[in-house]
Amino acid sequence: MSLSPELRSPAKTGGDTRKILGPGGNRVKDSEEQKKKKKEGMKKPEFRSKKAAASLTPKTILPVRSNGSVDSSSSSDSSMAKDVIFSKRGVERSTGVKKPAKVVPHGVEVEAAETFSPVIPIPLKRCDWITPNSEPLYISFHDEEWGNPVNDDTKLYELLALSQILAELTWPAILNKRHIFRKLFDNFDPSCLANVNEKRLRSLRENGNSLLSEPKIRAIVENAKHFQKIQQEFGSFSNYFWRFVNHKPIKSGFRYARQVPAKTPKSELMSKDLMKRGFVCVGPTVVYSFMQVAGIFNDHLITCFRYNECNNDNINKHSQTKLVKTDTQGRDPVENNTHLSNDHLSLT
């Protein structure tokens, strides 16, 4: 009986394995050595320090292991790994909290770069009647003039006259025409207005008729004569004016604009005394407006930045200087009942 011939596999010609088609389709099966090489190439490098992890390029996900010491009692415990994701906009940790990254120009240190951060100015808080739509001239008047204590007699007469005009015009309208009023009334100099004759007064009425009513024009001119009499009696109008509050401004301390009154007992008291001396168009409301703008009453709201400025000690020391309290005969007008009684200058 003949034996079947023994089949031998042909000898391998090279070191490469032959590719075999399997049941999974026309996919190539690699040898175990090639699989190991692929696994070793896909392994992620491990870093033991956070500095090394931070030096990687953005959008790389790497496990960062805490470098903790292994204790003999707990040798099996391993440290927890934290995933750190580096992005262009910041560093995002596994907790989901994104920490913004600082963008520093090349060659500039971090401390120097922080000085380049823009400073956003905080808008000033003003009184409620100053709005974003208010005229710049009116805002400047509020910020620089209204409520500042005044001692100059010529300035006081101008503010008294403007307070009288306030009965017909608003502050913004008055301020826009202030240069016209100063030209018309000789810069509100009482010594010049007191010498205005009837012809000059007629000319003022004709030129200022479109601006003011005739009674207001005549009042500004006639009051200048009585203003000079007070200067002669008290040494200055400022001395007479500030005696109503004992030479010290009154801080009203209002929080809301609706709390500001139209008149006060002190304005009524001064109005009554001015009328006795011959002044016209000086009602309690006009006098209170005069007291506000001249600084006797600090009616800036307490939320306004000007409230503390008008209460500044330096301003008060400069503007609250007491003048000589004697009349032309060297007597104190408060003690001399023939000039001004104590009832008229009561501080209550």
Side-chain angles (χ1 to χ4, degrees):
M1 185 176 176
S2 61
L3 297 174
S4 60
E6 185 179 353
L7 297 178
R8 296 181 180 178
S9 60
K12 296 179 182 180
T13 59
D16 296 334
T17 57
R18 188 170 63 90
K19 298 177 180 179
I20 303 173
L21 293 177
N26 193 15
R27 289 182 295 179
V28 178
K29 289 185 177 181
D30 298 329
S31 63
E32 293 183 358
E33 293 180 359
Q34 291 179 343
K35 288 181 181 181
K36 287 181 180 180
K37 290 181 180 179
K38 285 185 180 182
K39 288 181 181 181
E40 290 176 357
M42 293 178 63
K43 282 185 179 181
K44 299 175 185 178
E46 296 183 359
F47 296 90
R48 296 181 179 272
S49 62
K50 293 184 180 181
K51 291 184 179 179
S55 63
L56 295 177
T57 57
K59 296 184 179 179
T60 352
I61 303 175
L62 295 175
V64 180
R65 301 184 181 276
S66 59
N67 193 12
S69 60
V70 180
D71 193 18
S72 59
S73 60
S74 59
S75 59
S76 63
D77 294 339
S78 61
S79 59
M80 300 291 292
K82 295 182 180 179
D83 294 338
V84 181
I85 303 173
F86 292 85
S87 63
K88 293 182 180 179
R89 304 180 66 182
V91 181
E92 185 174 356
R93 299 187 181 276
S94 59
T95 55
V97 180
K98 182 175 289 187
K99 183 179 178 181
K102 294 183 179 179
V103 180
V104 181
H106 179 69
V108 181
E109 295 182 359
V110 177
E111 295 181 358
E114 290 178 355
T115 60
F116 297 152
S117 59
V119 179
I120 302 175
I122 301 174
L124 294 175
K125 175 63 178 176
R126 295 180 171 89
C127 295
D128 292 347
W129 49 86
I130 301 295
T131 65
N133 299 325
S134 298
E135 298 182 19
L137 193 61
Y138 186 38
I139 297 175
S140 299
F141 177 70
H142 168 273
D143 293 353
E144 301 171 5
E145 190 171 356
W146 194 80
N148 272 348
V150 179
N151 272 34
D152 182 71
D153 277 10
T154 305
K155 181 71 173 179
L156 285 172
Y157 189 75
E158 178 184 5
L159 296 178
L160 176 60
L162 295 181
S163 299
Q164 292 172 318
I165 299 173
L166 191 60
E168 298 182 0
L169 302 175
T170 62
W171 273 123
I174 292 172
L175 296 173
N176 286 322
K177 300 175 182 179
R178 194 174 191 177
H179 64 287
I180 301 177
F181 292 137
R182 284 175 173 173
K183 185 177 180 180
L184 187 65
F185 295 109
D186 296 329
N187 290 323
F188 295 100
D189 188 354
S191 59
C192 295
L193 293 175
N195 297 324
V196 171
N197 53 25
E198 194 64 29
K199 182 179 179 180
R200 168 76 171 151
L201 182 60
R202 193 182 307 114
S203 175
L204 288 174
R205 290 200 301 267
E206 292 174 358
N207 296 331
N209 192 26
S210 60
L211 300 174
L212 296 174
S213 62
E214 182 179 345
K216 285 292 183 292
I217 296 175
R218 181 175 288 275
I220 293 173
V221 173
E222 293 296 329
N223 287 343
K225 300 176 183 178
H226 306 297
F227 190 89
Q228 281 190 319
K229 292 179 181 178
I230 290 180
Q231 285 179 318
Q232 294 173 2
E233 183 177 345
F234 293 92
S236 70
F237 185 84
S238 173
N239 192 35
Y240 163 81
F241 178 62
W242 282 96
R243 288 178 68 84
F244 284 90
V245 290
N246 196 24
H247 295 266
K248 186 177 181 180
I250 295 176
K251 296 179 288 185
S252 299
F254 298 127
R255 181 174 291 275
Y256 305 105
R258 63 176 180 269
Q259 295 176 312
V260 182
K263 59 183 180 180
T264 63
K266 290 187 183 299
S267 69
E268 293 176 348
L269 179 64
M270 185 176 181
S271 172
K272 189 183 297 184
D273 189 72
L274 289 174
M275 288 180 182
K276 286 181 62 176
R277 295 174 180 277
F279 283 76
V280 293
C281 297
V282 285
T285 304
V286 171
V287 171
Y288 187 61
S289 299
F290 173 47
M291 288 179 160
Q292 285 177 316
V293 69
I296 272 191
F297 285 98
N298 181 4
D299 277 359
H300 285 283
L301 303 182
I302 59 176
T303 55
C304 176
F305 79 100
R306 288 283 292 146
Y307 178 76
N308 291 326
E309 284 189 359
C310 290
N311 292 334
N312 192 296
D313 292 336
N314 295 331
I315 295 177
N316 291 341
K317 288 177 183 178
H318 174 72
S319 59
Q320 297 171 12
T321 304
K322 296 185 179 181
L323 302 179
V324 181
K325 304 178 183 179
T326 57
D327 58 11
T328 55
Q329 299 179 357
R331 294 172 297 182
D332 192 332
V334 176
E335 297 177 356
N336 185 8
N337 294 332
T338 60
H339 291 272
L340 193 61
S341 64
N342 289 329
D343 294 336
H344 288 173
L345 285 179
S346 174
L347 300 179
T348 58

